[in-house]
Amino acid sequence: MTPESIAAEFEVTGQVVTVLNIDTGNVNDTYRVITRTSYSETQFVLQRINHNVFPKPDLVMSNMRAITDYAHKRLNEQASKSNRIWQLPLVMKTRDGKDFFVDAEGNYWRALSMISSATSHEQVLNVEHAHEAGYVLGHFQKTIADFPVDQLGDTLPGFHVTPTYLAHHDTVVQTDYAQDRLKGSSEARRVEAYIQERRDFASVLEDARERGELKVRPIHGDPKITNIMIDDITGKGTAIIDLDTVKPGLIHYDIGDGVRSACNPAGEEVKDLRDVVIDLDSFEALMKGYQKQAREFLTDADQHYMYDSIRLLTFELVIRFFSDYLAGDVYFKTDYESHNLNRARVQMKLCESIEARESMIRRILDSV
Ligand code: GN1
Ligand code: MG
Protein backbone atom coordinates (compact mmCIF):
# COMPACT_ATOMS: atom_id res chain seq x y z
CA MET A 1 0.00 0.00 0.00
CA THR A 2 1.18 3.53 -0.72
CA PRO A 3 1.25 6.18 2.02
CA GLU A 4 -1.51 7.96 0.00
CA SER A 5 -3.86 4.99 0.26
CA ILE A 6 -2.99 4.52 3.94
CA ALA A 7 -3.76 8.20 4.60
CA ALA A 8 -7.19 7.67 3.05
CA GLU A 9 -7.93 4.99 5.67
CA PHE A 10 -8.28 7.68 8.33
CA GLU A 11 -11.37 9.72 9.09
CA VAL A 12 -10.51 12.92 7.20
CA THR A 13 -12.50 15.50 5.29
CA GLY A 14 -11.78 15.77 1.60
CA GLN A 15 -9.45 13.89 -0.69
CA VAL A 16 -5.79 13.15 -0.15
CA VAL A 17 -3.77 15.46 -2.41
CA THR A 18 -0.27 14.45 -1.43
CA VAL A 19 1.82 12.74 1.25
CA LEU A 20 5.21 14.34 1.89
CA ASN A 21 8.01 12.54 3.70
CA ILE A 22 9.26 14.53 6.68
CA ASP A 23 12.81 13.45 7.37
CA THR A 24 12.68 13.78 11.13
CA GLY A 25 13.22 11.52 14.13
CA ASN A 26 15.55 8.59 14.56
CA VAL A 27 12.90 5.91 14.94
CA ASN A 28 9.52 6.23 13.12
CA ASP A 29 8.71 7.21 9.51
CA THR A 30 6.79 10.49 9.43
CA TYR A 31 4.72 12.09 6.65
CA ARG A 32 2.72 15.29 6.20
CA VAL A 33 -0.61 14.68 4.49
CA ILE A 34 -2.59 17.37 2.67
CA THR A 35 -6.29 16.81 1.99
CA ARG A 36 -8.66 19.19 0.18
CA THR A 37 -12.37 19.70 -0.36
CA SER A 38 -13.73 22.15 -2.97
CA TYR A 39 -13.39 24.96 -0.41
CA SER A 40 -10.83 23.98 2.27
CA GLU A 41 -7.56 22.25 3.04
CA THR A 42 -6.49 20.13 6.01
CA GLN A 43 -3.06 18.85 6.95
CA PHE A 44 -2.22 16.06 9.35
CA VAL A 45 0.71 13.88 10.40
CA LEU A 46 0.89 10.24 9.33
CA GLN A 47 3.40 7.93 11.01
CA ARG A 48 4.53 4.36 10.61
CA ILE A 49 5.45 3.08 14.05
CA ASN A 50 8.81 1.31 14.10
CA HIS A 51 7.81 -2.06 15.54
CA ASN A 52 11.43 -3.08 15.78
CA VAL A 53 11.78 -0.44 18.51
CA PHE A 54 8.23 -0.64 19.88
CA PRO A 55 7.37 -4.36 20.11
CA LYS A 56 3.75 -3.57 21.06
CA PRO A 57 2.52 -0.70 18.87
CA ASP A 58 -1.07 -1.18 20.08
CA LEU A 59 0.10 -0.51 23.64
CA VAL A 60 1.86 2.67 22.44
CA MET A 61 -1.44 3.78 20.94
CA SER A 62 -3.55 2.95 23.99
CA ASN A 63 -1.15 5.00 26.16
CA MET A 64 -1.32 7.84 23.66
CA ARG A 65 -5.11 7.74 23.48
CA ALA A 66 -5.45 7.69 27.27
CA ILE A 67 -2.97 10.47 27.96
CA THR A 68 -4.16 12.79 25.18
CA ASP A 69 -7.83 12.39 26.16
CA TYR A 70 -6.88 13.23 29.73
CA ALA A 71 -4.60 16.13 28.82
CA HIS A 72 -7.00 17.71 26.32
CA LYS A 73 -9.70 17.69 28.99
CA ARG A 74 -7.37 19.42 31.46
CA LEU A 75 -6.15 21.95 28.90
CA ASN A 76 -9.74 22.86 28.06
CA GLU A 77 -10.69 23.22 31.73
CA GLN A 78 -7.75 25.56 32.30
CA ALA A 79 -7.99 27.47 29.01
CA SER A 80 -9.65 30.61 30.41
CA LYS A 81 -6.97 31.01 33.14
CA SER A 82 -4.01 30.23 30.91
CA ASN A 83 -1.47 32.73 29.55
CA ARG A 84 -1.47 31.03 26.13
CA ILE A 85 -3.38 28.52 24.04
CA TRP A 86 -1.74 25.19 24.85
CA GLN A 87 -2.00 22.49 22.24
CA LEU A 88 -1.31 18.76 22.02
CA PRO A 89 -1.71 16.45 19.02
CA LEU A 90 -5.01 14.57 18.79
CA VAL A 91 -5.09 10.89 17.81
CA MET A 92 -7.31 10.64 14.71
CA LYS A 93 -9.60 7.68 14.15
CA THR A 94 -9.56 5.34 11.18
CA ARG A 95 -12.76 5.05 9.14
CA ASP A 96 -13.71 2.02 11.23
CA GLY A 97 -13.17 3.83 14.52
CA LYS A 98 -9.71 2.56 15.53
CA ASP A 99 -6.67 4.48 16.77
CA PHE A 100 -4.32 2.89 14.22
CA PHE A 101 -4.33 1.12 10.88
CA VAL A 102 -2.45 -2.12 10.23
CA ASP A 103 -1.38 -2.63 6.58
CA ALA A 104 -0.98 -5.94 4.73
CA GLU A 105 2.65 -6.24 5.84
CA GLY A 106 1.73 -5.82 9.49
CA ASN A 107 2.97 -2.22 9.78
CA TYR A 108 1.16 -0.02 12.27
CA TRP A 109 0.16 3.46 11.09
CA ARG A 110 -1.35 6.34 13.04
CA ALA A 111 -2.65 9.79 12.15
CA LEU A 112 -2.28 12.83 14.39
CA SER A 113 -3.59 16.35 14.12
CA MET A 114 -0.91 18.83 13.07
CA ILE A 115 0.18 21.67 15.34
CA SER A 116 0.09 24.37 12.67
CA SER A 117 1.56 27.90 12.68
CA ALA A 118 4.28 26.60 14.98
CA THR A 119 7.83 25.41 14.36
CA SER A 120 10.31 23.13 16.06
CA HIS A 121 14.07 23.44 15.67
CA GLU A 122 16.99 21.03 15.45
CA GLN A 123 18.93 23.01 18.02
CA VAL A 124 18.38 25.78 20.49
CA LEU A 125 18.25 29.27 18.92
CA ASN A 126 18.67 31.56 21.95
CA VAL A 127 17.97 31.77 25.69
CA GLU A 128 14.29 32.58 25.13
CA HIS A 129 13.96 29.36 23.17
CA ALA A 130 15.66 27.40 25.98
CA HIS A 131 13.31 29.02 28.51
CA GLU A 132 10.31 27.93 26.46
CA ALA A 133 11.65 24.37 26.18
CA GLY A 134 11.78 24.15 29.99
CA TYR A 135 8.41 25.84 30.42
CA VAL A 136 6.69 23.52 27.93
CA LEU A 137 8.20 20.40 29.52
CA GLY A 138 7.23 21.51 33.04
CA HIS A 139 3.72 22.33 31.86
CA PHE A 140 3.32 18.93 30.20
CA GLN A 141 4.55 17.05 33.27
CA LYS A 142 2.22 19.10 35.45
CA THR A 143 -0.73 18.46 33.15
CA ILE A 144 -0.32 14.68 33.34
CA ALA A 145 1.02 14.48 36.91
CA ASP A 146 -2.25 13.19 38.38
CA PHE A 147 -2.93 10.65 35.68
CA PRO A 148 -2.91 7.22 37.41
CA VAL A 149 0.48 5.85 36.43
CA ASP A 150 -0.68 2.22 36.74
CA GLN A 151 -3.02 2.84 33.80
CA LEU A 152 -0.04 3.38 31.48
CA GLY A 153 1.51 0.33 29.86
CA ASP A 154 5.25 -0.22 29.73
CA THR A 155 5.72 0.19 25.98
CA LEU A 156 9.51 0.05 26.11
CA PRO A 157 10.80 -2.00 29.05
CA GLY A 158 14.16 -0.66 30.21
CA PHE A 159 13.72 2.71 28.49
CA HIS A 160 16.06 5.21 30.23
CA VAL A 161 17.15 2.58 32.74
CA THR A 162 20.86 3.25 32.28
CA PRO A 163 22.17 0.03 33.92
CA THR A 164 20.12 -1.95 31.39
CA TYR A 165 21.78 -0.09 28.49
CA LEU A 166 25.15 -0.75 30.08
CA ALA A 167 24.41 -4.48 30.39
CA HIS A 168 23.33 -4.55 26.73
CA HIS A 169 26.53 -2.72 25.78
CA ASP A 170 28.59 -5.31 27.68
CA THR A 171 27.03 -8.11 25.63
CA VAL A 172 27.36 -6.32 22.30
CA VAL A 173 30.98 -5.29 22.83
CA GLN A 174 32.07 -8.93 23.00
CA THR A 175 30.88 -9.79 19.50
CA ASP A 176 33.41 -10.12 16.66
CA TYR A 177 31.66 -7.35 14.76
CA ALA A 178 32.03 -4.93 17.69
CA GLN A 179 35.65 -5.92 18.26
CA ASP A 180 36.39 -5.19 14.59
CA ARG A 181 34.77 -1.78 14.85
CA LEU A 182 36.83 -1.04 17.98
CA LYS A 183 40.06 -2.15 16.29
CA GLY A 184 39.28 0.05 13.32
CA SER A 185 38.86 3.35 15.15
CA SER A 186 40.81 5.07 17.89
CA GLU A 187 37.77 7.34 18.43
CA ALA A 188 35.64 4.27 19.14
CA ARG A 189 38.24 3.04 21.65
CA ARG A 190 38.16 6.44 23.34
CA VAL A 191 34.36 6.27 23.72
CA GLU A 192 34.66 2.74 25.08
CA ALA A 193 37.19 3.86 27.70
CA TYR A 194 34.97 6.81 28.63
CA ILE A 195 32.04 4.48 29.27
CA GLN A 196 34.14 2.07 31.35
CA GLU A 197 35.43 4.88 33.58
CA ARG A 198 31.86 5.85 34.52
CA ARG A 199 30.27 2.43 35.04
CA ASP A 200 29.53 2.97 38.72
CA PHE A 201 27.63 6.16 38.01
CA ALA A 202 25.10 4.41 35.72
CA SER A 203 22.78 3.33 38.55
CA VAL A 204 22.49 6.66 40.39
CA LEU A 205 18.79 7.25 39.56
CA GLU A 206 17.70 3.61 39.71
CA ASP A 207 19.33 3.26 43.15
CA ALA A 208 17.39 6.31 44.34
CA ARG A 209 14.21 4.80 42.94
CA GLU A 210 14.85 1.49 44.69
CA ARG A 211 15.46 3.30 47.98
CA GLY A 212 12.06 4.95 47.53
CA GLU A 213 13.53 8.45 47.22
CA LEU A 214 12.25 8.92 43.67
CA LYS A 215 8.78 7.88 42.54
CA VAL A 216 7.65 6.53 39.19
CA ARG A 217 5.22 8.91 37.46
CA PRO A 218 3.84 9.56 33.98
CA ILE A 219 6.63 11.09 31.85
CA HIS A 220 7.07 12.27 28.27
CA GLY A 221 10.23 10.23 27.68
CA ASP A 222 11.61 12.15 24.70
CA PRO A 223 11.48 15.92 25.30
CA LYS A 224 14.30 16.80 22.92
CA ILE A 225 14.30 20.26 21.39
CA THR A 226 12.88 19.02 18.06
CA ASN A 227 9.74 17.98 19.96
CA ILE A 228 9.07 21.45 21.37
CA MET A 229 6.73 23.51 19.17
CA ILE A 230 7.19 27.28 19.20
CA ASP A 231 4.24 29.42 18.15
CA ASP A 232 5.13 31.36 14.95
CA ILE A 233 2.96 34.28 16.07
CA THR A 234 3.93 34.78 19.71
CA GLY A 235 7.35 33.06 19.87
CA LYS A 236 6.11 31.15 22.93
CA GLY A 237 6.10 27.39 23.39
CA THR A 238 2.73 25.98 22.48
CA ALA A 239 3.02 22.17 22.51
CA ILE A 240 5.21 19.16 23.07
CA ILE A 241 4.86 16.52 20.38
CA ASP A 242 6.08 12.92 19.82
CA LEU A 243 4.08 11.17 22.52
CA ASP A 244 5.31 7.64 21.72
CA THR A 245 7.27 7.34 24.89
CA VAL A 246 4.72 8.67 27.38
CA LYS A 247 4.89 5.92 29.99
CA PRO A 248 5.77 5.32 33.63
CA GLY A 249 9.24 6.62 34.51
CA LEU A 250 11.22 9.10 36.56
CA ILE A 251 10.67 12.77 35.71
CA HIS A 252 14.47 13.01 35.85
CA TYR A 253 14.65 11.13 32.56
CA ASP A 254 12.77 14.06 31.03
CA ILE A 255 14.80 16.76 32.76
CA GLY A 256 18.13 15.20 31.82
CA ASP A 257 17.09 14.56 28.25
CA GLY A 258 15.57 18.04 27.86
CA VAL A 259 18.75 19.72 29.13
CA ARG A 260 21.23 17.62 27.15
CA SER A 261 19.25 18.42 24.01
CA ALA A 262 18.32 22.09 24.51
CA CYS A 263 21.52 23.37 26.12
CA ASN A 264 23.93 22.11 23.47
CA PRO A 265 23.90 24.94 20.89
CA ALA A 266 25.64 22.76 18.29
CA GLY A 267 22.83 20.18 18.28
CA GLU A 268 23.25 16.40 18.39
CA GLU A 269 23.91 15.84 14.67
CA VAL A 270 26.93 18.14 14.28
CA LYS A 271 30.12 16.65 12.82
CA ASP A 272 32.57 19.25 14.06
CA LEU A 273 32.68 18.82 17.82
CA ARG A 274 34.26 22.19 18.60
CA ASP A 275 30.98 23.91 19.52
CA VAL A 276 29.55 21.06 21.57
CA VAL A 277 29.25 22.36 25.12
CA ILE A 278 26.65 22.87 27.81
CA ASP A 279 25.70 26.51 27.39
CA LEU A 280 25.09 27.81 30.90
CA ASP A 281 22.91 30.76 29.83
CA SER A 282 20.58 28.40 27.99
CA PHE A 283 20.70 26.04 30.95
CA GLU A 284 19.72 28.75 33.43
CA ALA A 285 16.90 29.90 31.16
CA LEU A 286 15.62 26.35 30.67
CA MET A 287 15.63 25.61 34.41
CA LYS A 288 13.86 28.90 35.19
CA GLY A 289 11.16 28.05 32.67
CA TYR A 290 10.90 24.49 33.96
CA GLN A 291 10.73 25.42 37.64
CA LYS A 292 7.97 27.99 37.05
CA GLN A 293 5.75 25.06 36.12
CA ALA A 294 7.28 22.20 38.05
CA ARG A 295 8.22 23.67 41.44
CA GLU A 296 4.79 22.95 42.86
CA PHE A 297 4.98 19.18 42.26
CA LEU A 298 8.69 18.52 42.81
CA THR A 299 9.86 17.08 46.14
CA ASP A 300 13.17 17.91 47.85
CA ALA A 301 14.51 14.53 46.70
CA ASP A 302 13.50 15.36 43.12
CA GLN A 303 15.46 18.62 43.36
CA HIS A 304 18.43 16.78 44.89
CA TYR A 305 18.93 14.57 41.80
CA MET A 306 18.80 17.31 39.16
CA TYR A 307 22.52 17.51 38.45
CA ASP A 308 22.90 13.74 38.37
CA SER A 309 20.01 13.41 35.93
CA ILE A 310 21.59 15.89 33.50
CA ARG A 311 24.92 14.10 33.57
CA LEU A 312 23.35 10.64 33.52
CA LEU A 313 20.98 11.10 30.59
CA THR A 314 23.82 12.51 28.51
CA PHE A 315 26.04 9.59 29.51
CA GLU A 316 23.18 7.19 28.77
CA LEU A 317 22.89 8.49 25.22
CA VAL A 318 26.64 7.96 24.76
CA ILE A 319 26.05 4.32 25.66
CA ARG A 320 22.92 3.98 23.50
CA PHE A 321 24.41 5.49 20.33
CA PHE A 322 27.74 3.73 20.83
CA SER A 323 26.20 0.29 21.48
CA ASP A 324 24.17 0.72 18.32
CA TYR A 325 27.34 1.54 16.38
CA LEU A 326 28.97 -1.60 17.79
CA ALA A 327 25.88 -3.67 16.96
CA GLY A 328 25.79 -2.57 13.31
CA ASP A 329 23.20 0.25 13.54
CA VAL A 330 20.10 -1.78 14.29
CA TYR A 331 18.10 0.69 16.43
CA PHE A 332 18.63 4.32 15.37
CA LYS A 333 18.24 5.26 11.72
CA THR A 334 21.55 6.31 10.19
CA ASP A 335 22.57 8.37 7.13
CA TYR A 336 26.24 7.46 6.91
CA GLU A 337 28.69 4.76 8.01
CA SER A 338 29.91 6.19 11.32
CA HIS A 339 26.74 8.15 12.14
CA ASN A 340 26.09 6.48 15.50
CA LEU A 341 29.76 6.74 16.48
CA ASN A 342 29.65 10.44 15.71
CA ARG A 343 26.43 10.89 17.69
CA ALA A 344 28.07 9.10 20.63
CA ARG A 345 31.12 11.38 20.39
CA VAL A 346 28.89 14.48 20.45
CA GLN A 347 27.18 13.28 23.64
CA MET A 348 30.55 12.33 25.16
CA LYS A 349 31.90 15.84 24.52
CA LEU A 350 28.73 17.26 26.05
CA CYS A 351 29.02 14.98 29.07
CA GLU A 352 32.64 16.06 29.57
CA SER A 353 31.50 19.65 29.49
CA ILE A 354 28.74 18.94 32.05
CA GLU A 355 31.29 17.29 34.34
CA ALA A 356 33.76 20.16 33.97
CA ARG A 357 31.05 22.71 34.84
CA GLU A 358 29.49 20.75 37.70
CA SER A 359 29.92 23.43 40.36
CA MET A 360 28.46 26.15 38.12
CA ILE A 361 25.54 23.91 37.15
CA ARG A 362 24.84 23.18 40.81
CA ARG A 363 24.99 26.89 41.63
CA ILE A 364 22.44 27.63 38.91
CA LEU A 365 20.21 24.80 40.14
CA ASP A 366 20.26 26.30 43.64
CA SER A 367 19.50 29.80 42.40
CA VAL A 368 16.55 29.26 40.06
C1 GN1 B 1 15.04 8.78 19.51
O1 GN1 B 1 12.41 9.21 17.72
P1 GN1 B 1 13.24 10.29 18.22
O2 GN1 B 1 14.24 10.74 17.24
O3 GN1 B 1 12.40 11.42 18.78
C2 GN1 B 1 14.95 7.99 20.81
C3 GN1 B 1 15.24 8.91 22.01
C4 GN1 B 1 16.60 9.56 21.84
C5 GN1 B 1 16.64 10.29 20.51
C6 GN1 B 1 18.01 10.90 20.26
C7 GN1 B 1 12.06 5.61 21.30
O4 GN1 B 1 14.04 9.77 19.52
O5 GN1 B 1 15.22 8.17 23.20
O6 GN1 B 1 16.88 10.44 22.89
O7 GN1 B 1 16.31 9.41 19.41
N1 GN1 B 1 13.62 7.40 20.93
C8 GN1 B 1 13.45 6.11 21.24
O8 GN1 B 1 17.95 11.74 19.17
O9 GN1 B 1 14.39 5.36 21.46
MG1 MG C 1 10.54 9.96 19.95
Side-chain angles (χ1 to χ4, degrees):
M1 278 175 95
T2 61
E4 282 77 8
S5 57
I6 288 160
E9 294 290 334
F10 289 87
E11 188 66 59
V12 289
T13 0
Q15 285 184 48
V16 175
V17 180
T18 189
V19 177
L20 306 163
N21 196 338
I22 311 178
D23 192 18
T24 173
N26 297 332
V27 172
N28 296 318
D29 296 331
T30 306
Y31 302 86
R32 181 160 65 96
V33 182
I34 302 179
T35 68
R36 288 192 191 136
T37 67
S38 54
Y39 57 88
S40 70
E41 174 171 307
T42 312
Q43 302 203 8
F44 67 93
V45 175
L46 179 70
Q47 285 186 309
R48 187 173 70 95
I49 306 174
N50 181 335
H51 59 222
N52 186 27
V53 167
F54 297 104
K56 294 181 183 160
D58 44 348
L59 199 57
V60 172
M61 292 316 294
S62 60
N63 277 1
M64 202 182 281
R65 166 60 66 193
I67 213 75
T68 51
D69 281 355
Y70 178 84
H72 278 293
K73 195 162 164 278
R74 292 212 50 184
L75 296 182
N76 288 329
E77 283 162 7
Q78 291 157 5
S80 60
K81 294 182 256 123
S82 192
N83 62 0
R84 65 189 71 185
I85 302 173
W86 288 104
Q87 296 192 302
L88 201 65
L90 184 83
V91 180
M92 292 164 52
K93 293 276 186 203
T94 61
R95 295 202 183 276
D96 52 3
K98 299 212 178 69
D99 289 335
F100 53 85
F101 174 74
V102 187
D103 69 16
E105 280 119 61
N107 291 306
Y108 280 66
W109 295 80
R110 63 163 174 245
L112 302 167
S113 66
M114 180 168 274
I115 307 297
S116 301
S117 312
T119 309
S120 71
H121 302 271
E122 287 293 324
Q123 59 261 334
V124 71
L125 303 177
N126 48 40
V127 285
E128 289 79 15
H129 187 197
H131 175 275
E132 291 307 298
Y135 196 77
V136 169
L137 174 60
H139 180 262
F140 180 75
Q141 286 184 343
K142 191 168 78 177
T143 304
I144 63 169
D146 293 330
F147 185 89
V149 72
D150 53 3
Q151 286 177 26
L152 289 174
D154 192 356
T155 47
L156 267 178
F159 191 53
H160 290 315
V161 178
T162 314
T164 308
Y165 293 115
L166 194 56
H168 173 66
H169 162 273
D170 292 349
T171 309
V172 169
V173 78
Q174 285 164 16
T175 62
D176 292 345
Y177 183 87
Q179 288 299 321
D180 281 349
R181 284 207 138 174
L182 278 174
K183 276 190 207 108
S185 159
S186 59
E187 285 302 342
R189 291 196 294 277
R190 219 167 73 75
V191 180
E192 178 60 25
Y194 188 83
I195 291 173
Q196 294 308 333
E197 281 157 21
R198 283 155 188 77
R199 291 188 69 88
D200 293 348
F201 173 62
S203 63
V204 61
L205 289 181
E206 301 313 311
D207 290 348
R209 184 177 55 77
E210 269 164 34
R211 286 194 300 268
E213 289 174 53
L214 302 179
K215 295 266 178 304
V216 169
R217 302 176 180 159
I219 63 159
H220 181 278
D222 188 13
K224 64 183 193 183
I225 195 79
T226 40
N227 289 335
I228 305 288
M229 301 301 294
I230 303 293
D231 186 334
D232 294 341
I233 293 124
T234 62
K236 300 283 182 201
T238 186
I240 188 162
I241 57 169
D242 191 4
L243 307 174
D244 275 323
T245 47
V246 171
K247 65 192 274 309
L250 299 178
I251 51 144
H252 296 79
Y253 303 158
D254 280 352
I255 297 161
D257 195 58
V259 169
R260 67 113 204 124
S261 169
C263 303
N264 164 18
E268 64 186 71
E269 292 295 339
V270 70
K271 288 185 183 153
D272 179 346
L273 268 54
R274 253 177 310 184
D275 297 332
V276 176
V277 62
I278 178 152
D279 178 68
L280 293 179
D281 293 335
S282 304
F283 174 62
E284 183 167 4
L286 183 143
M287 286 316 296
K288 276 192 179 146
Y290 178 72
Q291 292 283 5
K292 277 180 201 161
Q293 291 287 343
R295 194 172 282 120
E296 63 186 77
F297 67 83
L298 295 179
T299 65
D300 289 348
D302 289 336
Q303 301 283 10
H304 179 76
Y305 284 98
M306 290 288 173
Y307 171 77
D308 284 335
S309 73
I310 295 158
R311 181 179 170 213
L312 185 70
L313 269 285
T314 312
F315 177 52
E316 176 185 285
L317 207 49
V318 178
I319 303 173
R320 293 179 67 197
F321 283 143
F322 189 60
S323 304
D324 203 32
Y325 174 72
L326 294 180
D329 309 312
V330 293
Y331 186 98
F332 296 106
K333 292 198 236 168
T334 52
D335 295 332
Y336 57 94
E337 156 74 12
S338 55
H339 198 157
N340 276 319
L341 173 59
N342 195 61
R343 286 168 170 155
R345 291 175 59 223
V346 169
Q347 297 303 313
M348 183 174 85
K349 178 91 193 293
L350 184 62
C351 197
E352 283 170 344
S353 163
I354 290 167
E355 290 167 353
R357 290 169 171 73
E358 173 174 352
S359 57
M360 286 179 280
I361 291 172
R362 287 192 185 276
R363 219 172 304 137
I364 291 170
L365 286 169
D366 288 342
S367 72
V368 293

